[in-house]
Amino acid sequence: MPHVITQSCCNDGSCVFACPVNCIHPSPDEPGYATSEMLYIDPVACVDCGACVSACPVGAIAPESQLDAKQLPFIEINASFYPDRPAGVKLPPTSKLAPVIPAPEVHQRETPLTVAIVGSGPAAMYAADELLIQPRVRVNVFEKLPTPYGLVRAGVAPDHQNTKKVTRLFDRVAGHRRLRFYLNVEVGKHLSHADLLAHHHAVVYAVGAPDDRRLDIDGMGLPGTGTATELVAWINGHPDFADLAVDLSHERVVIIGNGNVALDVARVLTADPDDLARTDIADHALRALRKSAVREVVIAARRGPAQSAFTLPELVGLTESSDVVLDPADRQRVLDDLATVADPLTRAKLEILTTLGDASAAPSESGRPRIRLAYQLTPQRVLGDDRASGVAFAVNGPGAGAGEVRTFDAGLVLTSIGYRGKPIPGLPFDDEAALVPNDGGRVIDPASARPVVGAYVAGWIKRGPTGFIGTNKSCSLETVQALVADFNDGKLADPQVEPLALDRLVRQRQSDVIDSAGWRAIDAAEIARGIGDGRPRNKFTDVADMLAVAAAARQAPPLRRRLAARLRELV
Protein backbone atom coordinates (compact mmCIF):
# COMPACT_ATOMS: atom_id res chain seq x y z
CA MET A 1 0.00 0.00 0.00
CA PRO A 2 1.40 3.47 -0.85
CA HIS A 3 1.69 6.20 1.74
CA VAL A 4 -0.58 9.25 1.55
CA ILE A 5 -0.11 12.90 2.54
CA THR A 6 -3.16 14.30 4.33
CA GLN A 7 -4.69 17.62 5.31
CA SER A 8 -2.18 18.73 7.92
CA CYS A 9 0.66 18.87 5.35
CA CYS A 10 2.82 21.91 6.12
CA ASN A 11 4.93 21.85 2.89
CA ASP A 12 8.07 21.58 5.02
CA GLY A 13 9.78 19.43 2.37
CA SER A 14 11.55 17.22 4.93
CA CYS A 15 9.73 14.23 3.44
CA VAL A 16 11.18 15.06 0.01
CA PHE A 17 14.71 14.71 1.30
CA ALA A 18 13.89 11.54 3.24
CA CYS A 19 12.26 9.71 0.30
CA PRO A 20 14.78 7.32 -1.32
CA VAL A 21 12.86 6.99 -4.60
CA ASN A 22 11.95 10.65 -5.19
CA CYS A 23 8.20 10.08 -5.24
CA ILE A 24 7.07 13.24 -3.40
CA HIS A 25 6.42 16.39 -5.40
CA PRO A 26 6.62 19.26 -5.99
CA SER A 27 10.08 19.42 -4.41
CA PRO A 28 11.67 22.71 -3.30
CA ASP A 29 13.55 23.12 -6.59
CA GLU A 30 10.53 22.50 -8.82
CA PRO A 31 8.16 25.11 -10.27
CA GLY A 32 5.08 25.61 -8.16
CA TYR A 33 6.56 24.44 -4.87
CA ALA A 34 6.18 27.82 -3.18
CA THR A 35 2.48 28.06 -4.02
CA SER A 36 1.50 24.38 -3.91
CA GLU A 37 -1.46 23.71 -1.62
CA MET A 38 0.28 20.62 -0.25
CA LEU A 39 2.79 17.97 -1.29
CA TYR A 40 1.73 14.75 -3.02
CA ILE A 41 3.01 11.16 -2.96
CA ASP A 42 3.05 9.31 -6.28
CA PRO A 43 1.06 6.13 -5.53
CA VAL A 44 2.84 4.18 -8.27
CA ALA A 45 6.39 5.20 -7.43
CA CYS A 46 6.00 4.89 -3.64
CA VAL A 47 7.80 1.80 -2.30
CA ASP A 48 6.05 1.93 1.08
CA CYS A 49 9.29 2.30 3.03
CA GLY A 50 7.88 4.80 5.54
CA ALA A 51 10.95 7.07 5.54
CA CYS A 52 8.72 10.08 4.94
CA VAL A 53 6.58 9.31 8.00
CA SER A 54 9.38 9.87 10.49
CA ALA A 55 10.62 12.94 8.59
CA CYS A 56 7.25 14.73 8.63
CA PRO A 57 7.11 17.24 11.52
CA VAL A 58 3.30 17.39 11.66
CA GLY A 59 2.24 13.75 11.33
CA ALA A 60 0.59 14.30 7.96
CA ILE A 61 1.71 11.04 6.27
CA ALA A 62 0.27 7.57 6.81
CA PRO A 63 -0.08 4.30 4.90
CA GLU A 64 -3.23 4.18 2.80
CA SER A 65 -4.53 1.26 4.89
CA GLN A 66 -4.35 3.30 8.12
CA LEU A 67 -6.34 6.36 7.04
CA ASP A 68 -9.54 7.14 8.89
CA ALA A 69 -12.78 7.88 7.06
CA LYS A 70 -12.17 11.64 6.99
CA GLN A 71 -8.76 11.14 5.37
CA LEU A 72 -9.84 8.79 2.57
CA PRO A 73 -10.36 11.60 0.01
CA PHE A 74 -6.62 12.28 0.18
CA ILE A 75 -5.88 8.99 -1.62
CA GLU A 76 -7.38 10.46 -4.78
CA ILE A 77 -6.01 13.94 -4.08
CA ASN A 78 -2.45 12.59 -3.96
CA ALA A 79 -2.95 10.50 -7.10
CA SER A 80 -4.57 13.36 -9.05
CA PHE A 81 -1.30 15.33 -9.00
CA TYR A 82 0.31 12.70 -11.24
CA PRO A 83 -0.62 11.96 -14.87
CA ASP A 84 -2.41 8.77 -15.81
CA ARG A 85 -0.09 6.01 -17.00
CA PRO A 86 -0.24 2.24 -17.44
CA ALA A 87 -0.11 0.25 -14.23
CA GLY A 88 3.43 -0.45 -13.10
CA VAL A 89 5.01 2.30 -15.19
CA LYS A 90 6.85 4.74 -12.94
CA LEU A 91 7.63 8.35 -13.73
CA PRO A 92 11.32 9.19 -14.04
CA PRO A 93 12.64 11.41 -11.25
CA THR A 94 12.08 15.09 -11.99
CA SER A 95 13.82 16.72 -9.05
CA LYS A 96 17.45 17.75 -9.26
CA LEU A 97 17.81 17.81 -5.47
CA ALA A 98 20.61 15.90 -3.83
CA PRO A 99 19.39 13.58 -1.03
CA VAL A 100 20.20 16.42 1.34
CA ILE A 101 20.97 19.99 0.35
CA PRO A 102 24.36 20.69 1.92
CA ALA A 103 24.51 23.85 3.98
CA PRO A 104 27.35 26.20 3.02
CA GLU A 105 30.47 25.83 5.11
CA VAL A 106 31.55 28.59 7.44
CA HIS A 107 35.25 29.25 7.06
CA GLN A 108 37.23 28.82 10.23
CA ARG A 109 37.73 32.50 10.89
CA GLU A 110 38.96 33.64 14.26
CA THR A 111 35.57 35.15 15.14
CA PRO A 112 32.58 32.76 15.11
CA LEU A 113 29.62 33.84 13.02
CA THR A 114 27.04 35.49 15.29
CA VAL A 115 23.54 36.16 13.94
CA ALA A 116 20.52 37.95 15.39
CA ILE A 117 17.13 36.71 14.24
CA VAL A 118 14.19 39.04 14.81
CA GLY A 119 10.97 37.07 15.14
CA SER A 120 10.44 33.50 16.31
CA GLY A 121 7.87 32.07 13.92
CA PRO A 122 8.48 29.32 11.33
CA ALA A 123 10.79 31.38 9.09
CA ALA A 124 12.89 32.41 12.09
CA MET A 125 13.17 28.90 13.54
CA TYR A 126 13.98 27.31 10.18
CA ALA A 127 16.67 29.96 9.66
CA ALA A 128 18.09 29.21 13.11
CA ASP A 129 18.07 25.49 12.33
CA GLU A 130 20.03 26.02 9.10
CA LEU A 131 22.56 28.30 10.81
CA LEU A 132 23.14 25.96 13.73
CA ILE A 133 24.00 23.09 11.39
CA GLN A 134 27.31 24.92 10.98
CA PRO A 135 30.01 24.67 13.65
CA ARG A 136 30.85 27.75 15.68
CA VAL A 137 27.72 29.68 14.72
CA ARG A 138 25.84 31.48 17.49
CA VAL A 139 22.22 32.60 17.15
CA ASN A 140 20.24 35.04 19.28
CA VAL A 141 16.47 35.13 18.68
CA PHE A 142 14.52 38.28 19.60
CA GLU A 143 10.74 38.14 19.98
CA LYS A 144 8.42 40.91 21.21
CA LEU A 145 6.02 38.43 22.85
CA PRO A 146 6.91 36.41 25.97
CA THR A 147 6.33 33.20 23.96
CA PRO A 148 7.87 32.02 20.69
CA TYR A 149 6.69 30.39 17.44
CA GLY A 150 4.55 33.17 15.99
CA LEU A 151 1.56 32.12 13.92
CA VAL A 152 1.98 28.44 14.81
CA ARG A 153 0.99 29.36 18.37
CA ALA A 154 -1.36 32.26 17.64
CA GLY A 155 -2.58 31.75 14.07
CA VAL A 156 -3.26 28.03 13.56
CA ALA A 157 -6.82 27.10 14.52
CA PRO A 158 -6.98 25.19 17.83
CA ASP A 159 -8.68 22.19 16.21
CA HIS A 160 -5.64 21.74 13.93
CA GLN A 161 -3.44 20.22 16.61
CA ASN A 162 -1.51 18.09 14.11
CA THR A 163 -0.37 21.22 12.31
CA LYS A 164 0.91 22.61 15.60
CA LYS A 165 3.15 19.57 16.04
CA VAL A 166 5.80 21.40 14.02
CA THR A 167 6.66 23.13 17.31
CA ARG A 168 8.35 19.88 18.35
CA LEU A 169 10.98 20.60 15.71
CA PHE A 170 11.19 24.20 16.85
CA ASP A 171 11.63 23.04 20.47
CA ARG A 172 14.65 20.98 19.40
CA VAL A 173 16.13 24.01 17.64
CA ALA A 174 15.40 26.24 20.65
CA GLY A 175 17.20 23.78 22.91
CA HIS A 176 20.47 24.05 21.00
CA ARG A 177 23.33 25.15 23.24
CA ARG A 178 24.36 27.87 20.75
CA LEU A 179 20.91 29.50 20.56
CA ARG A 180 19.60 32.07 23.05
CA PHE A 181 16.08 33.42 23.32
CA TYR A 182 15.43 37.06 24.18
CA LEU A 183 11.64 36.99 24.51
CA ASN A 184 9.48 39.95 25.53
CA VAL A 185 12.04 42.16 23.76
CA GLU A 186 10.82 44.37 20.92
CA VAL A 187 13.28 45.45 18.25
CA GLY A 188 12.44 49.04 17.39
CA LYS A 189 11.50 49.75 21.00
CA HIS A 190 14.03 48.15 23.33
CA LEU A 191 16.76 47.64 20.73
CA SER A 192 17.51 49.24 17.36
CA HIS A 193 18.87 47.74 14.16
CA ALA A 194 22.15 49.50 14.91
CA ASP A 195 22.23 47.91 18.38
CA LEU A 196 21.86 44.46 16.87
CA LEU A 197 24.54 45.03 14.24
CA ALA A 198 26.97 46.23 16.92
CA HIS A 199 26.65 42.82 18.61
CA HIS A 200 26.30 40.52 15.58
CA HIS A 201 27.74 39.96 12.13
CA ALA A 202 24.25 40.00 10.63
CA VAL A 203 20.57 40.42 11.43
CA VAL A 204 17.84 38.28 9.86
CA TYR A 205 14.36 39.80 10.05
CA ALA A 206 11.68 37.11 10.02
CA VAL A 207 8.84 39.27 11.30
CA GLY A 208 6.10 38.09 8.97
CA ALA A 209 3.28 40.27 7.66
CA PRO A 210 1.50 41.27 10.87
CA ASP A 211 -1.03 43.75 9.50
CA ASP A 212 -4.37 42.87 7.93
CA ARG A 213 -5.33 44.24 4.56
CA ARG A 214 -8.27 46.51 5.29
CA LEU A 215 -11.53 46.76 3.38
CA ASP A 216 -12.35 50.39 2.58
CA ILE A 217 -16.14 50.50 2.60
CA ASP A 218 -18.64 52.51 4.63
CA GLY A 219 -19.31 51.04 8.05
CA MET A 220 -16.06 49.15 8.55
CA GLY A 221 -14.84 50.24 11.95
CA LEU A 222 -18.25 50.12 13.60
CA PRO A 223 -18.54 47.96 16.73
CA GLY A 224 -19.23 44.45 15.51
CA THR A 225 -16.70 44.67 12.66
CA GLY A 226 -13.18 43.32 12.64
CA THR A 227 -10.85 40.89 10.90
CA ALA A 228 -10.69 37.13 10.84
CA THR A 229 -7.02 37.15 11.83
CA GLU A 230 -7.83 39.18 14.95
CA LEU A 231 -10.51 36.65 15.84
CA VAL A 232 -8.10 33.73 15.36
CA ALA A 233 -5.61 35.47 17.66
CA TRP A 234 -8.40 35.93 20.23
CA ILE A 235 -9.36 32.26 19.93
CA ASN A 236 -5.71 31.26 20.39
CA GLY A 237 -5.10 33.42 23.45
CA HIS A 238 -2.71 35.98 21.94
CA PRO A 239 -2.16 38.44 24.81
CA ASP A 240 -2.67 41.48 22.55
CA PHE A 241 -6.17 40.24 21.63
CA ALA A 242 -7.36 38.60 24.83
CA ASP A 243 -9.71 41.53 25.51
CA LEU A 244 -11.08 41.76 21.95
CA ALA A 245 -14.80 42.54 21.93
CA VAL A 246 -16.43 39.56 20.16
CA ASP A 247 -20.23 39.68 20.00
CA LEU A 248 -21.75 36.26 19.28
CA SER A 249 -25.29 37.22 20.33
CA HIS A 250 -26.66 37.38 16.76
CA GLU A 251 -27.64 34.33 14.72
CA ARG A 252 -25.38 35.18 11.79
CA VAL A 253 -21.74 36.09 11.19
CA VAL A 254 -20.51 37.27 7.78
CA ILE A 255 -16.91 36.77 6.69
CA ILE A 256 -15.76 38.68 3.59
CA GLY A 257 -13.11 36.67 1.77
CA ASN A 258 -12.84 32.88 1.43
CA GLY A 259 -9.25 31.87 2.08
CA ASN A 260 -8.15 29.26 4.60
CA VAL A 261 -8.33 31.70 7.53
CA ALA A 262 -11.98 32.41 6.72
CA LEU A 263 -12.68 28.67 6.74
CA ASP A 264 -10.85 28.29 10.05
CA VAL A 265 -12.96 30.99 11.70
CA ALA A 266 -16.22 29.65 10.30
CA ARG A 267 -15.39 26.12 11.39
CA VAL A 268 -14.52 27.16 14.95
CA LEU A 269 -17.60 29.40 15.29
CA THR A 270 -19.87 26.51 14.29
CA ALA A 271 -18.03 23.70 16.10
CA ASP A 272 -19.29 21.81 19.13
CA PRO A 273 -17.71 23.57 22.15
CA ASP A 274 -17.22 20.18 23.80
CA ASP A 275 -14.93 19.21 20.93
CA LEU A 276 -13.02 22.48 21.19
CA ALA A 277 -12.62 21.91 24.93
CA ARG A 278 -10.11 19.17 24.08
CA THR A 279 -7.84 21.62 22.23
CA ASP A 280 -5.60 24.50 23.32
CA ILE A 281 -8.31 27.10 22.67
CA ALA A 282 -8.19 30.05 25.08
CA ASP A 283 -10.54 29.79 28.06
CA HIS A 284 -12.20 33.15 27.31
CA ALA A 285 -12.99 32.03 23.75
CA LEU A 286 -14.38 28.69 24.88
CA ARG A 287 -16.66 30.42 27.40
CA ALA A 288 -17.95 32.79 24.70
CA LEU A 289 -18.57 29.95 22.24
CA ARG A 290 -20.55 27.99 24.82
CA LYS A 291 -22.91 30.98 25.07
CA SER A 292 -22.92 31.72 21.34
CA ALA A 293 -26.21 32.33 19.52
CA VAL A 294 -24.60 31.94 16.08
CA ARG A 295 -26.53 29.59 13.81
CA GLU A 296 -24.94 30.46 10.47
CA VAL A 297 -21.63 31.79 9.17
CA VAL A 298 -21.70 33.20 5.63
CA ILE A 299 -18.37 33.17 3.76
CA ALA A 300 -18.77 35.70 0.94
CA ALA A 301 -16.41 35.82 -2.04
CA ARG A 302 -16.07 38.50 -4.69
CA ARG A 303 -15.30 35.99 -7.44
CA GLY A 304 -16.74 32.66 -8.55
CA PRO A 305 -16.32 29.11 -7.25
CA ALA A 306 -13.41 28.26 -9.57
CA GLN A 307 -11.43 31.15 -8.06
CA SER A 308 -12.02 30.09 -4.45
CA ALA A 309 -9.00 31.10 -2.37
CA PHE A 310 -9.23 28.21 0.09
CA THR A 311 -7.12 25.14 -0.58
CA LEU A 312 -8.44 21.70 -1.46
CA PRO A 313 -7.18 20.10 1.80
CA GLU A 314 -8.94 22.75 3.88
CA LEU A 315 -12.18 22.31 1.92
CA VAL A 316 -12.05 18.55 2.46
CA GLY A 317 -11.49 19.08 6.17
CA LEU A 318 -14.32 21.62 6.40
CA THR A 319 -16.90 19.44 4.68
CA GLU A 320 -15.95 16.44 6.83
CA SER A 321 -16.40 18.37 10.08
CA SER A 322 -19.09 20.98 9.37
CA ASP A 323 -22.53 21.43 7.80
CA VAL A 324 -21.71 23.41 4.64
CA VAL A 325 -24.39 24.64 2.22
CA LEU A 326 -24.89 26.59 -1.01
CA ASP A 327 -27.75 28.68 -2.32
CA PRO A 328 -29.30 27.34 -5.57
CA ALA A 329 -27.79 30.20 -7.60
CA ASP A 330 -24.32 29.45 -6.26
CA ARG A 331 -24.76 25.74 -6.95
CA GLN A 332 -25.45 26.66 -10.58
CA ARG A 333 -22.29 28.77 -10.62
CA VAL A 334 -20.36 25.72 -9.42
CA LEU A 335 -21.84 23.57 -12.20
CA ASP A 336 -21.09 26.23 -14.81
CA ASP A 337 -17.46 26.44 -13.70
CA LEU A 338 -17.13 22.67 -13.62
CA ALA A 339 -18.17 22.53 -17.28
CA THR A 340 -15.30 24.78 -18.36
CA VAL A 341 -12.40 24.22 -15.93
CA ALA A 342 -9.65 21.75 -16.87
CA ASP A 343 -7.21 22.05 -13.96
CA PRO A 344 -7.57 18.79 -11.95
CA LEU A 345 -7.13 20.35 -8.50
CA THR A 346 -9.67 23.10 -9.22
CA ARG A 347 -12.05 20.50 -10.59
CA ALA A 348 -11.62 18.51 -7.38
CA LYS A 349 -12.70 21.56 -5.37
CA LEU A 350 -15.70 22.11 -7.61
CA GLU A 351 -16.74 18.47 -7.42
CA ILE A 352 -16.77 18.68 -3.63
CA LEU A 353 -18.84 21.88 -3.82
CA THR A 354 -21.47 20.05 -5.91
CA THR A 355 -22.08 17.70 -2.97
CA LEU A 356 -22.92 20.45 -0.47
CA GLY A 357 -26.36 20.82 1.04
CA ASP A 358 -29.05 23.26 -0.07
CA ALA A 359 -29.16 26.50 1.92
CA SER A 360 -32.85 26.92 1.07
CA ALA A 361 -33.77 23.58 2.63
CA ALA A 362 -34.90 23.12 6.20
CA PRO A 363 -32.14 23.06 8.83
CA SER A 364 -30.45 19.71 9.38
CA GLU A 365 -31.80 17.43 12.07
CA SER A 366 -28.57 17.79 14.01
CA GLY A 367 -29.49 21.37 14.80
CA ARG A 368 -25.86 22.36 14.51
CA PRO A 369 -24.89 25.77 13.09
CA ARG A 370 -24.07 25.79 9.40
CA ILE A 371 -21.63 27.46 7.03
CA ARG A 372 -22.91 29.02 3.81
CA LEU A 373 -20.50 29.63 0.92
CA ALA A 374 -21.62 32.56 -1.25
CA TYR A 375 -20.10 33.79 -4.52
CA GLN A 376 -20.00 36.76 -6.91
CA LEU A 377 -20.62 39.28 -4.13
CA THR A 378 -18.82 42.64 -3.98
CA PRO A 379 -19.11 44.28 -0.53
CA GLN A 380 -20.68 47.75 -0.69
CA ARG A 381 -21.23 48.82 2.91
CA VAL A 382 -21.71 47.58 6.43
CA LEU A 383 -25.21 48.29 7.67
CA GLY A 384 -26.01 49.82 11.04
CA ASP A 385 -25.73 53.13 12.86
CA ASP A 386 -24.21 52.50 16.29
CA ARG A 387 -22.97 48.99 15.51
CA ALA A 388 -22.93 46.51 12.62
CA SER A 389 -26.27 44.96 11.79
CA GLY A 390 -25.51 43.45 8.38
CA VAL A 391 -23.72 43.81 5.04
CA ALA A 392 -24.92 44.92 1.63
CA PHE A 393 -23.28 43.32 -1.42
CA ALA A 394 -23.52 44.08 -5.13
CA VAL A 395 -24.11 40.89 -7.09
CA ASN A 396 -21.62 40.60 -9.95
CA GLY A 397 -20.77 38.16 -12.70
CA PRO A 398 -22.86 36.38 -15.36
CA GLY A 399 -26.59 36.54 -14.77
CA ALA A 400 -26.44 39.41 -12.28
CA GLY A 401 -29.10 42.04 -12.77
CA ALA A 402 -28.17 45.70 -13.13
CA GLY A 403 -27.80 47.19 -9.68
CA GLU A 404 -28.72 43.90 -8.01
CA VAL A 405 -28.00 44.02 -4.27
CA ARG A 406 -27.94 41.20 -1.75
CA THR A 407 -28.11 41.87 1.99
CA PHE A 408 -27.27 39.67 4.95
CA ASP A 409 -28.28 40.54 8.49
CA ALA A 410 -25.38 39.91 10.86
CA GLY A 411 -24.17 40.87 14.30
CA LEU A 412 -20.50 40.31 13.47
CA VAL A 413 -18.78 41.23 10.19
CA LEU A 414 -15.22 40.07 9.62
CA THR A 415 -12.86 40.62 6.70
CA SER A 416 -10.35 38.01 5.61
CA ILE A 417 -8.65 39.50 2.57
CA GLY A 418 -4.96 39.00 3.26
CA TYR A 419 -1.97 40.41 5.12
CA ARG A 420 0.55 43.21 4.78
CA GLY A 421 4.09 43.53 6.04
CA LYS A 422 4.97 46.74 7.86
CA PRO A 423 8.13 48.87 7.75
CA ILE A 424 11.12 47.91 9.87
CA PRO A 425 12.93 50.89 11.42
CA GLY A 426 16.32 51.31 9.79
CA LEU A 427 15.56 49.26 6.65
CA PRO A 428 14.11 50.19 3.24
CA PHE A 429 10.49 49.21 2.59
CA ASP A 430 8.43 48.71 -0.56
CA ASP A 431 5.06 50.14 0.47
CA GLU A 432 3.24 48.90 -2.63
CA ALA A 433 4.39 45.29 -2.25
CA ALA A 434 4.39 45.62 1.57
CA LEU A 435 7.74 43.87 1.99
CA VAL A 436 11.43 44.67 2.44
CA PRO A 437 13.15 44.84 -0.98
CA ASN A 438 15.64 42.01 -1.24
CA ASP A 439 17.57 39.73 -3.55
CA GLY A 440 17.44 36.14 -2.32
CA GLY A 441 17.15 37.39 1.25
CA ARG A 442 19.81 40.12 1.06
CA VAL A 443 18.15 43.46 1.84
CA ILE A 444 18.60 45.86 -1.10
CA ASP A 445 18.77 49.64 -0.93
CA PRO A 446 16.50 50.80 -3.80
CA ALA A 447 18.45 54.07 -4.18
CA SER A 448 21.76 52.35 -4.90
CA ALA A 449 20.53 48.87 -5.88
CA ARG A 450 23.22 47.52 -3.56
CA PRO A 451 22.88 45.20 -0.56
CA VAL A 452 22.46 46.72 2.90
CA VAL A 453 25.44 45.18 4.67
CA GLY A 454 24.49 42.79 7.44
CA ALA A 455 20.71 42.93 6.85
CA TYR A 456 18.68 39.94 5.66
CA VAL A 457 15.03 38.88 5.52
CA ALA A 458 13.16 35.56 5.51
CA GLY A 459 9.52 34.52 5.39
CA TRP A 460 6.58 36.78 4.54
CA ILE A 461 8.49 40.04 5.01
CA LYS A 462 10.82 38.71 2.29
CA ARG A 463 8.44 37.19 -0.25
CA GLY A 464 4.98 38.43 0.75
CA PRO A 465 2.18 36.45 2.45
CA THR A 466 2.33 33.33 0.29
CA GLY A 467 2.86 29.66 0.99
CA PHE A 468 2.42 27.61 4.12
CA ILE A 469 4.35 26.87 7.31
CA GLY A 470 6.87 24.59 5.65
CA THR A 471 7.39 26.89 2.67
CA ASN A 472 9.54 28.92 5.04
CA LYS A 473 12.09 26.10 5.22
CA SER A 474 13.39 26.57 1.68
CA CYS A 475 12.88 30.34 1.92
CA SER A 476 15.04 30.53 5.05
CA LEU A 477 17.64 28.19 3.57
CA GLU A 478 18.10 30.56 0.64
CA THR A 479 18.59 33.49 3.02
CA VAL A 480 21.05 31.59 5.20
CA GLN A 481 23.07 30.53 2.16
CA ALA A 482 23.35 34.17 1.10
CA LEU A 483 24.32 35.27 4.61
CA VAL A 484 26.98 32.59 5.06
CA ALA A 485 28.40 33.29 1.60
CA ASP A 486 28.77 36.96 2.55
CA PHE A 487 30.47 35.99 5.81
CA ASN A 488 32.86 33.66 4.00
CA ASP A 489 33.68 36.41 1.51
CA GLY A 490 34.56 38.83 4.32
CA LYS A 491 31.65 41.19 3.58
CA LEU A 492 30.28 41.24 7.14
CA ALA A 493 31.87 43.36 9.86
CA ASP A 494 32.81 41.67 13.12
CA PRO A 495 30.77 42.61 16.22
CA GLN A 496 32.02 45.79 17.88
CA VAL A 497 31.72 44.53 21.47
CA GLU A 498 32.35 41.32 23.39
CA PRO A 499 29.50 38.75 23.57
CA LEU A 500 28.50 39.29 27.21
CA ALA A 501 27.77 42.95 26.51
CA LEU A 502 24.60 41.98 24.62
CA ASP A 503 23.01 40.36 27.64
CA ARG A 504 23.82 43.38 29.79
CA LEU A 505 22.38 45.76 27.19
CA VAL A 506 19.13 43.79 26.82
CA ARG A 507 18.54 43.59 30.56
CA GLN A 508 19.31 47.29 30.93
CA ARG A 509 16.71 48.17 28.28
CA GLN A 510 14.12 45.49 29.22
CA SER A 511 14.33 44.10 32.72
CA ASP A 512 11.43 41.72 32.01
CA VAL A 513 13.30 39.82 29.31
CA ILE A 514 12.46 36.09 29.21
CA ASP A 515 15.22 33.65 28.28
CA SER A 516 15.08 30.04 27.12
CA ALA A 517 14.67 28.75 30.68
CA GLY A 518 11.81 31.16 31.25
CA TRP A 519 10.05 29.95 28.10
CA ARG A 520 10.52 26.32 29.14
CA ALA A 521 8.90 27.15 32.49
CA ILE A 522 5.92 28.84 30.78
CA ASP A 523 5.59 25.91 28.38
CA ALA A 524 5.69 23.33 31.18
CA ALA A 525 3.17 25.29 33.26
CA GLU A 526 0.72 25.57 30.35
CA ILE A 527 0.98 21.83 29.67
CA ALA A 528 0.48 21.04 33.36
CA ARG A 529 -2.58 23.33 33.46
CA GLY A 530 -4.11 21.40 30.58
CA ILE A 531 -3.51 17.87 31.85
CA GLY A 532 -6.43 17.85 34.26
CA ASP A 533 -8.88 18.81 31.51
CA GLY A 534 -7.50 16.44 28.88
CA ARG A 535 -6.09 19.32 26.86
CA PRO A 536 -2.67 19.62 25.19
CA ARG A 537 -2.15 22.87 27.12
CA ASN A 538 -4.06 25.69 28.78
CA LYS A 539 -2.42 28.92 27.64
CA PHE A 540 -1.63 31.96 29.67
CA THR A 541 -3.18 35.00 28.00
CA ASP A 542 -1.84 37.68 30.35
CA VAL A 543 1.77 38.80 30.04
CA ALA A 544 1.98 39.38 33.81
CA ASP A 545 1.17 35.71 34.44
CA MET A 546 3.87 34.62 32.00
CA LEU A 547 6.42 36.90 33.64
CA ALA A 548 5.52 35.51 37.05
CA VAL A 549 6.06 31.92 35.92
CA ALA A 550 9.39 32.78 34.29
CA ALA A 551 10.53 34.67 37.41
CA ALA A 552 9.60 31.74 39.67
CA ALA A 553 11.66 29.43 37.47
CA ARG A 554 14.70 31.65 37.91
CA GLN A 555 14.32 31.44 41.68
CA ALA A 556 13.70 27.68 41.80
CA PRO A 557 16.50 25.50 43.17
CA PRO A 558 18.40 23.34 40.62
CA LEU A 559 16.62 20.10 41.60
CA ARG A 560 13.21 21.68 41.07
CA ARG A 561 14.29 22.96 37.67
CA ARG A 562 15.46 19.48 36.69
CA LEU A 563 12.17 17.94 37.85
CA ALA A 564 10.20 20.55 35.87
CA ALA A 565 12.26 19.75 32.78
CA ARG A 566 11.60 16.03 33.29
CA LEU A 567 7.85 16.66 33.65
CA ARG A 568 7.87 18.54 30.37
CA GLU A 569 9.59 15.59 28.66
CA LEU A 570 7.04 13.13 30.03
CA VAL A 571 3.97 15.09 28.91
Side-chain angles (χ1 to χ4, degrees), residues 406-421:
R406 188 173 185 189
T407 300
F408 291 99
D409 293 333
L412 182 61
V413 179
L414 304 171
T415 58
S416 185
I417 56 176
Y419 305 87
R420 282 182 57 88

Side-chain angles (χ1 to χ4, degrees), residues 302-481:
R302 189 187 304 264
R303 298 190 293 174
Q307 293 78 41
S308 294
F310 51 73
T311 61
L312 178 58
E314 285 299 318
L315 177 62
V316 171
L318 183 74
T319 55
E320 290 290 344
S321 64
S322 307
D323 182 13
V324 189
V325 298
L326 286 171
D327 286 319
D330 284 319
R331 185 178 306 280
Q332 186 58 51
R333 291 184 176 101
V334 171
L335 296 173
D336 292 343
D337 283 352
L338 191 57
T340 59
V341 169
D343 175 67
L345 293 179
T346 303
R347 288 187 62 83
K349 287 185 190 178
L350 294 171
E351 287 168 355
I352 291 174
L353 293 179
T354 64
T355 68
L356 300 183
D358 188 345
S360 62
S364 65
E365 294 181 2
S366 68
R368 64 187 300 180
R370 68 182 188 177
I371 298 168
R372 187 196 312 200
L373 302 182
Y375 291 97
Q376 305 288 178
L377 298 175
T378 302
Q380 297 295 292
R381 63 190 180 95
V382 174
L383 306 175
D385 297 322
D386 299 326
R387 63 168 296 106
S389 61
V391 193
F393 294 91
V395 181
N396 64 70
E404 184 178 352
V405 174
R406 188 173 185 189
T407 300
F408 291 99
D409 293 333
L412 182 61
V413 179
L414 304 171
T415 58
S416 185
I417 56 176
Y419 305 87
R420 282 182 57 88
K422 65 180 183 180
I424 297 171
L427 296 186
F429 188 73
D430 182 337
D431 192 63
E432 183 175 350
L435 49 76
V436 172
N438 70 93
D439 180 10
R442 293 183 180 92
V443 175
I444 300 297
D445 179 2
S448 65
R450 301 182 65 180
V452 177
V453 176
Y456 301 83
V457 285
W460 281 2
I461 196 64
K462 168 187 173 183
R463 68 181 191 274
T466 61
F468 306 92
I469 290 173
T471 312
N472 293 292
K473 184 178 179 69
S474 55
C475 174
S476 295
L477 172 62
E478 179 187 51
T479 296
V480 168
Q481 287 176 322

Side-chain angles (χ1 to χ4, degrees), residues 27 37-38 84 88 107 120 165 243 278 288 308 311 354 382 417 422 459 487 517 521:
S27 61
E37 296 185 347
M38 59 181 284
D84 293 332
H107 290 177
S120 65
K165 287 180 180 177
D243 296 326
R278 294 190 289 270
S308 294
T311 61
T354 64
V382 174
I417 56 176
K422 65 180 183 180
F487 177 75

